[in-house]
Amino acid sequence: MIYLKRVYEPKEKNDGLRILVDRLWPRGVKKENVDLWLKDIAPSDELRKAYHETGDFEAFKKSYIKELEAKDLTNIVELAKNGDITLLYASKNPENNALVLKEYLEWILERQG
C-alpha cells in the first residue's frame, strides 16, 4: 500500500517506509522521523512556484506527471512493490505533489501487474 501523510503527523506502525517527497526539508522536522528523502522526485521549483501562485491543481498535475515521466522511478516503484510506504509532504493543502505521485505510482504498479 501507498499512504499519504503530512510530515508533521506522528509516526505510526503501519506507515511502513516513510519517504519525504518534497524538494525542501520542512522546518522543525527531525531526521529520525523520515526514513528516506527523495527530493529529486519532487516537482521542479518553477512548477512548484507556478502552482503556489495559480492554485490550478489540474494544470499542476498534468505538468508534474510530465516531469515524472522523465524521471527514473525504479527505486520508489521497487520500494512500493516490496512493502508499505508512506509519502510524506509538508503542505497544508491536500492537493499536492504527494497525491499526484501516489496516483502515478499506483498506475505504474497496476500496469506492471
Side-chain angles (χ1 to χ4, degrees):
M1 287 290 293
I2 301 173
Y3 302 102
L4 294 176
K5 184 181 274 192
R6 277 195 82 211
V7 70
Y8 301 106
E9 293 178 43
K11 197 174 196 175
E12 296 181 59
K13 288 180 184 177
N14 69 338
D15 284 350
L17 190 68
R18 294 168 51 90
I19 305 170
L20 179 63
V21 294
D22 287 347
R23 186 165 302 280
L24 305 173
W25 188 267
R27 283 189 187 146
V29 173
K30 295 179 180 180
K31 301 230 187 254
E32 59 263 16
N33 291 332
V34 175
D35 297 315
L36 183 61
W37 183 21
L38 297 178
K39 61 183 170 184
D40 293 336
I41 210 169
S44 64
D45 285 335
E46 297 81 18
L47 181 54
R48 183 178 51 82
K49 289 175 184 176
Y51 178 48
H52 184 70
E53 288 174 13
T54 66
D56 185 346
F57 182 69
E58 289 306 313
F60 168 77
K61 184 175 179 177
K62 286 179 187 176
S63 297
Y64 185 37
I65 288 172
K66 284 182 184 177
E67 288 185 1
L68 289 171
E69 289 172 344
K71 295 178 189 265
D72 179 8
L73 302 177
T74 306
N75 185 31
I76 195 166
V77 169
E78 287 303 312
L79 292 171
K81 278 184 186 178
N82 294 322
D84 293 340
I85 63 171
T86 297
L87 303 179
L88 302 172
Y89 60 92
S91 176
K92 291 180 183 176
N93 185 349
E95 291 185 325
N96 59 55
N97 64 299
L99 175 62
V100 177
L101 179 58
K102 177 184 187 291
E103 291 174 358
Y104 189 69
L105 290 173
E106 289 173 340
W107 177 78
I108 289 171
L109 292 169
E110 186 178 297
R111 290 187 62 193
Q112 290 181 352

